[in-house]
Amino acid sequence: MVKKFNRSNFHTRTFCIWKEVDYLEINGLKINYKSKSGSQYIFSKEGIYRISNHWGRVADCHWRLIPIGLFKNQNITVAYANWVDFYTYDDSAKLFFIRVDITKADVNFYHKDMVLPNEKVLLRDAKETAKTLKIIKEILNDTLWAKYLKYESITDLRRDIIQNLVTSSESFISLKKRYL
């Protein structure tokens, strides 16, 4: 059973992807809560606005921000999330999977309750997810890792190795050995 989150429990061990919104969206709304770190919250029936200068690891939560444009941590940002966008978070549990858009060189992780129908994923804990994300970013943004490998197309090589990293527990070193 999926746990339901609300104004009294959203801040305890949760994962959430917040979407940045324009300041005008909160114009005239009353701040309902201000945290010790200075973040401000506005609650609604459907969700919550957060006004803050820090995202990512927030206390015992992991809250990712999808910015409207270029984003710099430490800048005050207003973001919104529906209550249904919050999920249980635990560093040691296998709750996360990785999704990659190779054409955009974009990679990120998501909660297991966000898997699409027929999407093949491998669930990992937070540490293993972070490690795999780092490797995939290297594959997407560099070519040094492929220096001694035999391949015809770097694009096809990237696609094959990334697909295997996302859907299997095979190591990067093991996958590279296929191309020696």
Side-chain angles (χ1 to χ4, degrees):
M1 185 171 107
V2 178
K3 183 175 180 178
K4 292 192 182 230
F5 291 94
N6 56 47
R7 66 189 299 161
S8 65
N9 65 357
F10 76 95
H11 52 79
T12 306
R13 295 187 179 169
T14 58
F15 171 86
C16 185
I17 300 175
W18 298 74
K19 293 169 188 71
E20 182 179 2
V21 296
D22 192 284
Y23 276 92
L24 293 174
E25 203 164 312
I26 62 166
N27 191 24
L29 298 178
K30 180 180 165 245
I31 303 295
N32 299 112
Y33 180 75
K34 186 173 181 178
S35 71
K36 291 177 186 174
S37 63
S39 298
Q40 299 175 8
Y41 298 89
I42 301 169
F43 304 121
S44 75
K45 183 178 178 183
E46 298 81 26
I48 180 172
Y49 290 94
R50 181 172 191 252
I51 306 148
S52 184
N53 69 346
H54 57 282
W55 300 88
R57 293 286 287 185
V58 178
D60 61 359
C61 299
H62 189 95
W63 292 348
R64 190 165 73 230
L65 175 68
I66 297 176
I68 292 173
L70 291 175
F71 171 75
K72 287 190 172 184
N73 221 359
Q74 300 309 311
N75 288 349
I76 303 271
T77 304
V78 179
Y80 179 81
N82 286 308
W83 296 121
V84 296
D85 296 333
F86 287 86
Y87 301 97
T88 303
Y89 180 76
D90 178 352
D91 278 343
S92 60
K94 292 186 178 195
L95 296 175
F96 307 103
F97 70 95
I98 297 170
R99 198 177 278 153
V100 183
D101 183 336
I102 294 175
T103 57
K104 293 180 182 175
D106 182 48
V107 58
N108 229 317
F109 71 101
Y110 299 86
H111 192 274
K112 70 175 184 164
D113 292 334
M114 300 170 83
V115 175
L116 300 172
N118 302 319
E119 184 177 19
K120 185 179 178 191
V121 300
L122 177 70
L123 296 179
R124 296 177 166 91
D125 64 27
K127 186 176 178 182
E128 193 61 33
T129 301
K131 180 181 168 186
T132 306
L133 280 173
K134 184 177 177 183
I135 292 167
I136 293 172
K137 287 176 182 178
E138 177 187 349
I139 294 168
L140 288 170
N141 298 307
D142 197 4
T143 56
L144 192 58
W145 62 271
K147 186 174 181 178
Y148 299 106
L149 304 181
K150 293 180 181 143
Y151 58 91
E152 290 184 26
S153 161
I154 189 72
T155 303
D156 291 342
L157 177 65
R158 280 184 171 124
R159 184 170 278 118
D160 183 53
I161 290 180
I162 289 170
Q163 180 64 30
N164 281 290
L165 284 170
V166 168
T167 60
S168 78
S169 58
E170 195 169 355
S171 72
F172 183 39
I173 292 169
S174 174
L175 291 168
K176 288 195 311 183
K177 284 182 181 177
R178 296 181 187 178
Y179 295 91
L180 290 175

